[in-house]
C-alpha cells in the first residue's frame, strides 16, 4: 500500500468510528437515501421483477407436477399443509428471502466495493448500522414485493389452498422473518467486506438453511437431533409461521420469536459490519478490484 493510500485508509477508519456516534435523524436519513437511490432507477426494478416472477412460476409449476407424481409417505408431517405442493410452495416463496439475505446482498456489497461506492459511503459521518440497513434495504423491499406476487399467483392460478388463510398473519410473519434474515445477511456482508469470498459463503448459507429449515421436505425427516436443533433457526420459525398462517393455525408465537431474533441479530450484525469496515479500512481493501 502506498503512503497516500495508507493515509486515506486511516482517515476512512477514523470516520467509520465517528459514524457510530451520529444522531438518529441522520441515521434514518441515510437509510432512506440509500433506498431511494436504488428505487430511483426503474431499470433495477421492473425487468428484474418480471424475470424473477417468470422464473419463479416455472419453478412452481415444476413442483406442481412433481407433487402429482410423488406422494409423501403416510403419516408424514407436512406442518398442516393439505398437500405436498402447498408445503413446498411456501418453502419456495420464503427461499426468495433466504436468497436476498445471502447471495443478493453479498453480491451487492461486492459491486459496491469494486465501484468504490462503499469506501465513499463508509467515510460519511453516519452510524454504521444505518449504512448496513440502508445497503440491505432495497433487496429486502424488493423481495417482499416478489413474495407477495408469488403468493398471489399461487392462490389464484396454481391452486394453493388459502380458504383458511389469515392474510394479516401471513404479512406479519413474512415481514418479521425478512427482518430476522436481514441480520443474517448483514453478517454475511460483514464477512464479505473483511475477508472476501462472500459469494461462496452466501451460496453455502442458502443451501444449508434451505435444507435444514423445511423448504423442500419436513424437518421431521432430518436425521438424529437435527429436528430439535434447527427449531431455533429464524428461517425455520418463519416457514412454520407462514404455513400456520396460510392454514388458519396459530402464527403469533412464530412472529414473536422472529421479533426476538431480529432484536438479537440486527444489532450484533451491524456491530460486525462496522468492525469489518474498520478492518478493511486499515488494510486498504474497502475498494477491491
Amino acid at each position: 500500500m502506498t503512503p497516500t493510500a495508507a493515509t486515506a485508509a486511516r482517515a476512512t477508519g477514523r470516520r467509520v468510528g465517528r459514524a457510530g456516534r451520529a444522531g438518529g435523524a441522520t441515521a434514518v436519513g441515510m437509510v432512506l437515501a440509500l433506498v431511494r437511490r436504488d428505487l430511483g432507477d426503474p431499470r433495477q426494478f421492473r425487468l428484474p421483477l418480471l424475470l424473477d416472477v417468470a422464473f419463479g412460476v416455472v419453478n412452481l409449476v415444476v413442483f406442481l407436477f412433481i407433487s402429482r407424481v410423488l406422494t409423501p409417505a403416510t403419516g408424514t408431517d407436512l406442518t398442516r399443509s393439505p398437500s405436498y405442493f402447498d408445503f413446498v410452495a411456501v418453502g419456495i416463496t420464503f427461499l426468495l428471502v433466504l436468497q436476498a439475505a445471502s447471495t443478493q446482498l453479498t453480491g451487492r456489497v461486492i459491486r459496491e466495493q469494486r465501484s468504490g461506492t462503499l469506501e465513499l459511503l463508509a467515510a460519511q459521518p453516519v452510524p454504521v448500522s444505518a449504512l448496513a440497513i440502508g445497503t440491505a434495504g432495497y433487496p429486502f423491499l424488493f423481495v417482499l414485493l416478489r413474495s407477495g406476487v408469488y403468493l398471489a399467483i399461487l392462490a389464484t392460478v396454481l391452486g394453493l389452498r388459502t380458504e383458511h388463510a389469515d392474510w394479516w398473519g401471513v404479512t406479519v410473519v413474512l415481514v418479521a422473518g425478512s427482518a430476522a434474515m436481514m441480520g443474517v445477511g448483514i453478517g454475511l456482508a460483514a464477512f464479505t467486506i473483511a475477508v472476501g469470498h462472500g459469494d461462496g459463503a452466501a451460496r453455502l448459507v442458502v443451501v444449508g438453511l434451505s435444507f435444514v429449515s423445511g423448504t423442500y421436505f419436513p424437518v421431521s425427516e432430518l436425521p438424529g437431533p437435527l429436528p430439535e436443533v434447527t427449531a431455533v433457526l429464524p428461517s425455520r420459525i418463519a416457514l412454520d409461521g407462514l404455513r400456520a398462517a396460510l392454514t388458519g393455525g396459530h402464527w403469533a408465537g412464530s412472529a414473536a420469536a422472529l421479533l426476538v431474533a431480529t432484536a438479537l441479530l440486527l444489532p450484533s450484525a451491524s456491530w460486525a459490519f462496522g468492525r469489518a469496515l474498520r478492518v478493511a479500512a486499515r488494510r486498504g481493501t474497502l475498494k477491491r478490484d
Side-chain angles (χ1 to χ4, degrees):
M1 189 190 311
T2 65
T4 302
T7 302
R10 287 193 295 270
T12 302
R14 289 194 296 271
R15 286 191 290 267
V16 168
R18 288 196 300 270
R21 297 188 291 271
T26 305
V28 174
M30 179 67 165
V31 172
L32 294 177
L34 287 170
V35 173
R36 283 197 300 267
R37 177 195 65 171
D38 300 317
L39 292 176
D41 186 357
R43 293 173 299 176
Q44 295 186 21
F45 189 76
R46 295 172 185 172
L47 184 59
L49 178 61
L50 293 175
L51 293 175
D52 284 333
V53 169
F55 174 78
V57 170
V58 171
N59 197 25
L60 290 167
V61 169
V62 169
F63 275 96
L64 176 62
F65 282 95
I66 290 175
S67 68
R68 293 177 178 177
V69 175
L70 301 178
T71 304
T74 303
T76 301
D77 180 14
L78 293 178
T79 321
R80 296 177 56 93
S81 299
S83 69
Y84 174 69
F85 177 70
D86 290 76
F87 178 89
V88 76
V90 177
I92 292 174
T93 300
F94 194 74
L95 182 61
L96 296 174
V97 179
L98 292 180
Q99 291 171 339
S102 52
T103 54
Q104 292 178 22
L105 185 52
T106 54
R108 179 182 182 79
V109 168
I110 290 170
R111 290 193 299 272
E112 299 275 15
Q113 280 188 294
R114 288 174 177 170
S115 67
T117 306
L118 182 65
E119 186 175 18
L120 293 175
L121 290 172
Q124 304 307 309
V126 295
V128 291
S129 59
L131 176 57
I133 295 173
T135 302
Y138 173 76
F140 280 88
L141 289 176
F142 187 47
V143 81
L144 286 174
L145 176 60
R146 292 164 64 198
S147 299
V149 172
Y150 271 37
L151 289 173
I153 293 174
L154 282 165
T156 59
V157 179
L158 299 181
L160 180 70
R161 301 281 296 274
T162 58
E163 59 268 25
H164 301 296
D166 183 340
W167 291 108
W168 168 249
V170 171
T171 303
V172 170
V173 173
L174 186 58
V175 172
S178 298
M181 294 309 302
M182 183 184 289
V184 176
I186 292 173
L188 279 171
F191 178 86
T192 302
I193 293 170
V195 181
H197 310 290
D199 48 351
R203 288 193 295 269
L204 182 61
V205 167
V206 170
V207 173
L209 287 180
S210 62
F211 181 79
V212 300
S213 297
T215 301
Y216 300 109
F217 59 87
V219 291
S220 58
E221 301 301 313
L222 292 171
L226 284 179
E228 290 76 25
V229 172
T230 58
V232 299
L233 293 176
S235 50
R236 177 178 167 183
I237 296 170
L239 281 170
D240 290 345
L242 284 173
R243 289 178 177 127
L246 282 167
T247 55
H250 299 291
W251 53 266
S254 296
L258 289 170
L259 291 176
V260 171
T262 301
L264 295 174
L265 289 172
L266 269 183
S268 57
S270 296
W271 175 85
F273 190 87
R275 181 74 176 174
L277 288 176
R278 288 190 288 273
V279 169
R282 286 198 299 268
R283 295 175 177 172
T285 57
L286 274 175
K287 186 179 186 305
R288 296 177 185 267
D289 296 328

